[in-house]
Amino acid sequence: MTSDTDARSDALAVMAGLTGPGGRFELAEDDVLGTRLPVFTHRHRALHEVLHESVRFADREYVVTADRRLTFAEHAAQVASLARVLREEHGVAKGDRVAIAAANSVEWIQTFWATVSIGAVVVGFNAWWSARELEYGIGHAAPSLVVADAKRAALLAGVEVPVLSVTEDIPRFATAYDDGPLPSVDVAEDNPAVILYTSGTSGRPKGAVHTHRNLLSVVEYHRLNDALLKALGEPLDPMDRVHLLALPLFHIAGLHNLVVPRLATGSKIALYEGAFDADAVLRMVERERITNWGAVPTMANRLLEHGDISGYDTSSLTAFSLASAPSSPRFKERLREQLPFAKDSLVDSYGLTESCTAIAVATSQDLAEAPGSLGRPVTGVQLEIRDPLGEVLPEGEEGEVCVRSAFNMLGYWDDEEATGNAIGEDRWLRTGDIGRLREGRLYLTTRRSDLIIRGGENVYPAEIEGVLSAHPDVMECIVLGAPHPDLGQEVAAVVVTRAGSAVTDEALRAYAVGELAYFKVPTRWRLTTESLPRNATGKVIRASVRP
């Protein structure tokens, strides 16, 4: 009988062969932006190369939805046509930004590939942003055009940037030309390819810039994982795996770690469209024989709330992972107890928009041996715990999680100060998260001190506080995260009203709805006339405020 220790030793030996000198996924140090970092030797240098290579999968299916099926060959041909229209008829050139403001769709994916394959930069706007937030994004990223669905297009009325329709323009452009050459462009590895927005402690969203190198490193990381499984005797060919995509495409989990690598591996994506519905998702698992599912804890919790799922055939699911938000050991235990497919397949991970992919992954073995850990750093990631002076701390001591790899973002778009605060000249990324290492595994203590993670969405209080403070009846306010059984956390606001004010929480909620994405609008309110507690320097003592 093989023990867990033996299994880990076998995996490490296989990994050493795959990544060592002469291995298919050889890792060797190379210069990356002035710093020596481990990189995959046998990698692509530009994203259009992945598109070109994908035609070898021909009639295999790349993306399927509830009512559409798109092969790799069809996808490549349609992207070629769309890229030609963008370049020749809309003047999109290398380095230009093309923003996408839309819910998940096949057209979102095709717009992505057409844009990056001509050297332009995809700007993935959060599909839940308000009109005000979209206006900020357009002003900040300065896209040459925006691709939007009907809901987002209505919020963009009056903008001076051309807006193309997801449902009308993109399908027409994708079939405008037949048998055209696949797009290509001369780009450097460290040229920008994608900008994804993440909230900042200053209260305004920051655009994390991801390069061709970043995304192609993620591709090799996933190809390596597939090769490792195959070498360890995984019965199902990685190409025959079916990956459920129910996470937003403006997140690294959906775009960088699913849509992009699967074009390189020849495996299928089952794209779930619309609001999450447990019954509809489970029916898709049945119908498409889905093998891999990456979910935020909120989705997993809704499966638990759905009750008995024995009426659904989930026997194909052999990989179920949690991402984008923290979850407790007890929650994971409930998943293993109540979801048959989670019993032996559940894994957890830790990553940031800035890191492009997972920083650390906790396997089923890690979760069993060390509940509460987030596992070990993934291949190619260097991780240190540092004190406030930047000194590396020994194992077991608590400090800031710092990481370095070829996956890490280039920086923040048009924000040198924020970039300098996050990434040093030696390319170490300061996450702002507090944790410790124990037996090589990462444990998080605090995830960005003030951060609220609501159903997988990052919410920074400063942005909401800025909006509420502009209301004439608000003297001061503080926004906090409060525990929520489904979402993990909900947004709570404590508002100090001006003397004589009769403002209500309903009125403040209505005001916030007009200024913020719905997931940022507080759902718990406490109005008071008492001043917020502050320390000697005038800062609010957050720990002393109850939601």
Side-chain angles (χ1 to χ4, degrees):
M1 182 176 179
T2 303
S3 69
D4 288 340
T5 301
D6 291 337
R8 175 166 172 74
S9 296
D10 290 345
L12 289 173
V14 172
M15 182 68 82
L18 290 169
T19 60
R24 182 180 165 195
F25 298 93
E26 179 182 3
L27 279 170
E29 280 200 352
D30 199 359
D31 180 81
V32 178
L33 299 168
T35 300
R36 303 291 292 181
L37 289 178
V39 299
F40 291 102
T41 301
H42 311 296
R43 66 190 185 280
H44 291 303
R45 265 57 173 185
L47 283 163
H48 72 258
E49 296 174 8
V50 177
L51 178 67
H52 286 222
E53 191 179 74
S54 72
V55 297
R56 67 190 175 96
F57 301 123
D59 294 331
R60 293 181 64 88
E61 291 175 330
Y62 174 41
V63 183
V64 301
T65 69
D67 54 10
R68 297 173 65 182
R69 313 192 80 81
L70 188 73
T71 67
F72 282 87
E74 291 167 338
H75 173 262
Q78 291 179 22
V79 168
S81 177
L82 175 56
R84 181 175 175 181
V85 173
L86 292 178
R87 180 184 268 164
E88 297 181 2
E89 300 179 21
H90 290 273
V92 177
K94 176 181 172 181
D96 287 347
R97 272 79 62 208
V98 174
I100 306 177
N104 286 7
S105 68
V106 170
E107 288 74 21
W108 206 115
I109 295 172
Q110 292 176 318
T111 300
F112 166 83
W113 281 113
T115 300
V116 298
S117 293
I118 59 175
V121 181
V122 170
V123 183
F125 285 157
N126 190 313
W128 295 333
W129 272 358
S130 67
R132 181 186 67 86
E133 290 161 318
L134 286 170
E135 182 181 1
Y136 167 78
I138 289 174
H140 182 251
S144 58
L145 60 84
V146 180
V147 175
D149 57 20
K151 184 175 181 180
R152 264 51 63 165
L155 299 175
L156 291 167
V159 301
E160 297 181 359
V161 179
V163 178
L164 303 180
S165 167
V166 163
T167 55
E168 297 177 13
D169 294 324
I170 301 304
R172 180 162 51 88
F173 296 163
T175 54
Y177 297 98
D178 294 328
D179 302 322
L182 289 171
S184 63
V185 67
D186 182 18
V187 292
E189 284 189 86
D190 294 310
N191 282 165
V194 180
I195 300 173
L196 296 182
Y197 279 87
T198 181
S199 296
T201 53
S202 65
R204 67 177 188 178
K206 293 180 292 186
V209 180
H210 302 147
T211 64
H212 288 259
R213 183 196 300 277
N214 294 153
L215 271 72
L216 291 168
S217 297
V218 175
V219 167
E220 292 308 304
Y221 165 63
H222 282 275
R223 286 159 57 104
L224 169 61
N225 286 340
D226 285 351
L228 176 63
L229 288 174
K230 193 169 184 177
L232 291 174
E234 166 67 34
L236 184 64
D237 190 311
M239 281 183 62
D240 294 328
R241 289 192 162 273
V242 183
H243 300 258
L244 176 64
L245 173 53
L247 297 170
L249 284 167
F250 53 82
H251 277 190
I252 62 167
L255 183 60
H256 298 19
N257 291 274
L258 212 167
V259 163
V260 174
R262 294 311 143 199
L263 194 74
T265 61
S267 43
K268 184 192 302 183
I269 294 168
L271 173 61
Y272 177 79
E273 298 175 290
F276 184 86
D277 177 85
D279 177 69
V281 170
L282 289 167
R283 293 299 177 200
M284 177 172 261
V285 170
E286 266 187 339
R287 183 175 64 253
E288 300 297 338
R289 303 300 296 159
I290 287 168
T291 61
N292 293 60
W293 182 359
V296 295
T298 297
M299 292 178 181
N301 187 59
R302 289 178 184 173
L303 289 180
L304 297 179
E305 290 185 343
H306 189 65
D308 184 12
I309 65 168
S310 60
Y312 304 91
D313 182 1
T314 60
S315 59
S316 61
L317 264 175
T318 56
F320 185 60
S321 59
L322 298 176
S324 301
S327 56
S328 68
R330 175 54 188 149
F331 178 72
K332 296 183 186 75
E333 185 179 338
R334 288 180 59 211
L335 293 178
R336 287 190 291 266
E337 290 172 350
Q338 298 180 41
L339 302 179
F341 52 82
K343 182 179 179 182
D344 299 313
S345 67
L346 183 67
V347 301
D348 200 0
S349 63
Y350 162 66
L352 314 169
T353 301
E354 292 85 346
S355 67
C356 281
T357 191
I359 290 171
V361 171
T363 65
S364 294
Q365 180 181 339
D366 288 321
L367 295 177
E369 293 178 357
S373 89
L374 288 163
R376 296 176 170 86
V378 305
T379 302
V381 168
Q382 301 169 349
L383 188 152
E384 294 178 349
I385 304 298
R386 297 182 173 182
D387 67 15
L389 297 178
E391 296 297 320
V392 179
L393 295 170
E395 187 166 277
E397 291 196 25
E398 189 176 274
E400 183 177 16
V401 179
C402 297
V403 296
R404 185 168 69 170
S405 75
F407 305 125
N408 282 356
M409 68 171 183
L410 179 66
Y412 294 114
W413 180 260
D414 195 28
D415 198 332
E416 291 184 7
E417 181 180 358
T419 298
N421 289 336
I423 301 179
E425 293 182 1
D426 55 1
R427 298 300 299 167
W428 280 96
L429 171 67
R430 295 180 288 276
T431 68
D433 295 343
I434 306 302
R436 67 183 187 279
L437 287 170
R438 194 167 67 206
E439 296 182 347
R441 294 186 176 100
L442 175 65
Y443 293 77
L444 278 192
T445 306
T446 303
R447 185 157 191 178
R448 302 196 189 193
S449 59
D450 297 341
L451 179 65
I452 301 167
I453 302 181
R454 179 200 179 279
E457 286 295 325
N458 289 356
V459 179
Y460 276 92
E463 180 184 13
I464 305 169
E465 290 164 357
V467 168
L468 294 179
S469 295
H471 192 283
D473 290 305
V474 175
M475 180 74 74
E476 59 178 346
C477 64
I478 187 170
V479 172
L480 307 163
H484 189 279
D486 182 26
L487 300 169
Q489 287 183 301
E490 64 178 329
V491 182
V494 178
V495 177
V496 179
T497 59
R498 296 189 182 278
S501 170
V503 71
T504 63
D505 55 357
E506 290 84 2
L508 291 174
R509 187 194 313 274
Y511 171 76
V513 164
E515 299 292 323
L516 298 164
Y518 84 91
F519 65 88
K520 300 176 184 177
V521 176
T523 50
R524 288 180 58 175
W525 298 81
R526 182 165 68 86
L527 276 56
T528 180
T529 56
E530 296 181 7
S531 298
L532 298 174
R534 297 179 182 273
N535 63 17
T537 62
K539 294 182 179 179
V540 176
I541 306 172
R542 305 183 74 89
S544 299
V545 182
R546 64 173 181 82

